[in-house]
């Protein structure tokens, strides 16, 4: 048996979710930028830690694993790895895509990269196999938005960007000289938090807590939200159907080793991704994980960013393409989440 929890994850102040930060020549970039959304692997790690915090003292106490065998049964032996084929995290059975919670009762999902709203639908010319996006201009930045299914909210309404100037004393790469660098962090504006739905075995009981998540060990509040029914992802995206084409939307970041191009048109953006790897066999203290306890993924991965859209003439082509994202480990970790929309004329 299993049960679900809706979690509200809210930073107490500003937060930093690190991204790959190299110049074109491979050197360090001294402008450290944060992503505004946490990566799915970051949330997965936080939830595994949450389960440890709620475990009996014989398993976990004072931020240390007491019984490694019981801890393995609770959260799995190892952290997330894209090379795994199954989701093996003990009593944690699945984690949804990360979304925005508004006032703890409204789910906001990334707006598709093209909205297909009245008068602005993608136009596909079958005879010449070409597509046109009305009002699109490569010179204009199309800012990220979020939607509850009826209205779109600009990122700036949800996130506040902060820039700090820092000084790294006696920088080794600069022969002992001081090195100035900038750090970009974010805050969530009032009324907003990160949301995630998790499935656990029915013997798991969770309670509200505080924990540090992401880079810079920023403090977050984890709140269990009860008596709230959210719209399904499918319900939220119904208004963005295309008049005549099948439309596949990526509602989380997605990872594919290769991708077939049997679609009519795609509007996608990409992001680089690395993740930290650890095991309960070597991790000693969860409040101050040392560099000896973790390693970085060897390969820099390229992800399809949430909001990517793909268009198809027929349902078979759309479902065959959608199957490329089927991966137990990735999908249950919050990656590769897709929604397939039927054309309006098919309704």
């Amino acid at each position: 048996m299993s049960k679900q929890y809706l979690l509200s994850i809210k930073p107490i102040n500003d937060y930093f979710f690190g991204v790959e930060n190299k110049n074109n020549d491979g050197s360090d970039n001294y402008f450290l930028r944060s992503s505004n959304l946490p990566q799915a692997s970051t949330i997965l790690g936080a939830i595994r830690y949450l389960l440890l915090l709620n475990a009996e003292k014989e398993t976990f106490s004072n931020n240390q694993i007491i019984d490694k065998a019981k801890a393995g049964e609770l959260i799995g032996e190892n952290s997330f790895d894209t090379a795994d084929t199954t989701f093996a995290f003990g009593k944690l059975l699945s984690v949804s895509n990360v979304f925005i919670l508004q006032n703890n009762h409204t789910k906001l999902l990334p707006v598709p990269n093209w909205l297909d709203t009245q008068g602005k639908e993608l136009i596909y010319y079958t005879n010449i196999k070409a597509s046109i996006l009305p009002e699109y201009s490569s010179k204009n930045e199309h800012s990220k938005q979020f939607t509850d299914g009826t209205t779109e909210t600009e990122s700036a309404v949800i996130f506040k960007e902060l820039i700090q100037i820092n000084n790294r004393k006696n920088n080794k790469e600069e022969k002992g000289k001081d090195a100035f660098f900038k750090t970009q962090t974010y805050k969530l504006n009032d009324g907003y938090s990160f949301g995630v739905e998790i499935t656990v075995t029915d013997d798991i009981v969770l309670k509200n807590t505080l924990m540090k998540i992401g880079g810079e060990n920023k403090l977050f509040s984890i709140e269990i939200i009860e008596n709230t029914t959210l719209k399904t992802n499918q319900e939220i995206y119904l208004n963005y159907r295309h008049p005549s084409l099948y439309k596949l939307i990526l509602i989380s970041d997605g990872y594919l080793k290769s991708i077939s191009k049997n679609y009519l048109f795609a509007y996608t953006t990409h992001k680089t991704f690395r993740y930290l790897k650890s095991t309960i066999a070597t991790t000693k203290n969860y409040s101050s994980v040392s560099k000896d306890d973790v390693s970085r993924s060897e390969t820099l991965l390229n992800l399809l960013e949430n909001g990517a859209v793909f268009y198809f003439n027929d349902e078979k082509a759309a479902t065959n393409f959608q199957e490329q994202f089927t991966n137990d480990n990735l999908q249950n970790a919050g990656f590769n989440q897709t929604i397939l929309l039927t054309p309006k004329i098919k309704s």
Side-chain angles (χ1 to χ4, degrees):
M1 297 290 290
S2 63
K3 61 182 176 182
Q4 288 190 322
Y5 280 104
L6 169 61
L7 305 181
S8 170
I9 304 174
K10 186 173 180 60
I12 300 301
N13 202 326
D14 65 326
Y15 62 88
F16 184 89
F17 296 126
V19 295
E20 187 73 11
N21 193 53
K22 298 289 184 180
N23 295 314
N24 292 335
D25 62 1
S27 61
D28 288 335
N29 188 328
Y30 287 101
F31 190 2
L32 307 181
R33 297 180 181 273
S34 171
S35 172
N36 58 3
L37 287 175
Q39 192 51 265
S41 56
T42 300
I43 294 300
L44 172 59
I47 294 169
R48 294 176 74 221
Y49 181 37
L50 177 65
L51 264 62
L52 287 174
L53 289 174
N54 283 270
E56 65 277 6
K57 292 184 179 180
E58 292 78 11
T59 301
F60 189 78
S61 180
N62 295 323
N63 272 307
Q64 295 187 5
I65 289 179
I66 307 303
D67 189 320
K68 294 185 183 296
K70 288 184 177 180
E73 292 175 0
L74 177 63
I75 65 168
E77 297 286 343
N78 303 306
S79 63
F80 172 79
D81 194 325
T82 56
D84 293 337
T85 56
T86 58
F87 187 81
F89 293 99
K91 298 186 177 185
L92 175 61
L93 305 179
S94 69
V95 180
S96 75
N97 57 305
V98 181
F99 49 87
I100 297 296
L101 263 181
Q102 184 176 17
N103 298 321
N104 282 352
H105 59 68
T106 301
K107 180 194 288 187
L108 303 181
L109 293 175
V111 162
N113 285 350
W114 196 252
L115 290 176
D116 287 310
T117 52
Q118 184 66 36
K120 296 182 181 180
E121 298 96 344
L122 174 139
I123 302 170
Y124 184 75
Y125 295 96
T126 305
N127 57 333
I128 60 174
K129 296 183 179 180
S131 304
I132 294 178
L133 292 173
E135 300 185 8
Y136 174 81
S137 172
S138 59
K139 296 180 181 180
N140 298 329
E141 180 180 355
H142 295 261
S143 61
K144 201 74 175 177
Q145 296 175 307
F146 293 81
T147 181
D148 62 0
T150 56
T151 59
E152 292 82 49
T153 302
E154 295 285 346
S155 290
V157 175
I158 302 171
F159 307 97
K160 181 179 181 180
E161 181 180 324
L162 303 174
I163 303 293
Q164 300 174 338
I165 306 298
N166 306 277
N167 185 8
R168 182 179 292 140
K169 295 289 186 179
N170 299 318
N171 185 38
K172 294 181 180 180
E173 294 184 6
E174 298 294 334
K175 299 180 179 180
K177 297 179 181 179
D178 293 350
F180 290 94
F181 62 98
K182 293 193 294 184
T183 302
Q184 173 214 49
T185 60
Y186 284 100
K187 292 183 70 174
L188 287 179
N189 290 320
D190 290 344
Y192 296 100
S193 62
F194 301 115
V196 67
E197 295 168 298
I198 67 172
T199 304
V200 295
T201 56
D202 60 1
D203 59 326
I204 295 295
V205 177
L206 299 179
K207 58 185 178 182
N208 299 342
T209 190
L210 295 173
M211 70 165 64
K212 294 178 180 179
I213 305 175
E216 310 297 325
N217 281 325
K218 299 294 186 176
L219 191 63
F220 286 72
S221 167
I222 312 295
E223 183 180 356
I224 312 301
I225 307 299
E226 299 178 340
N227 303 318
T228 294
T229 301
L230 300 178
K231 284 185 179 180
T232 66
N233 299 331
Q234 192 80 26
E235 289 173 328
I236 290 175
Y237 281 122
L238 277 180
N239 285 341
Y240 304 119
R241 294 174 295 168
H242 188 271
S244 60
L245 300 176
Y246 288 85
K247 183 177 180 180
L248 185 70
I249 305 170
L250 196 58
I251 64 173
S252 68
D253 293 339
Y255 173 61
L256 296 175
K257 290 184 178 180
S258 62
I259 184 170
S260 68
K261 296 185 178 180
N262 58 335
Y263 48 82
L264 298 177
F265 181 83
Y267 186 174
T268 65
T269 54
H270 298 77
K271 67 196 304 185
T272 55
F273 172 57
R274 286 191 196 271
Y275 52 94
L276 298 178
K277 300 165 64 175
S278 65
T279 171
I280 62 173
T282 58
T283 302
K284 299 177 179 64
N285 192 316
Y286 277 74
S287 64
S288 56
V289 178
S290 71
K291 293 182 179 180
D292 295 332
D293 295 330
V294 299
S295 62
R296 300 177 73 195
S297 55
E298 296 82 4
T299 304
L300 178 64
L301 303 178
N302 195 34
L303 301 183
L304 285 164
E305 192 170 14
N306 61 68
V309 291
F310 301 86
Y311 293 89
F312 306 85
N313 257 332
D314 60 85
E315 185 174 11
K316 183 177 180 180
T319 54
N320 285 345
F321 186 88
Q322 187 179 30
E323 286 177 3
Q324 294 182 81
F325 292 95
T326 301
N327 179 300
D328 173 79
N329 180 47
L330 292 171
Q331 290 181 308
N332 285 322
F335 293 94
N336 287 26
Q337 301 289 311
T338 61
I339 292 291
L340 181 58
L341 298 181
T342 302
K344 294 177 183 177
I345 62 173
K346 301 285 186 182
S347 301

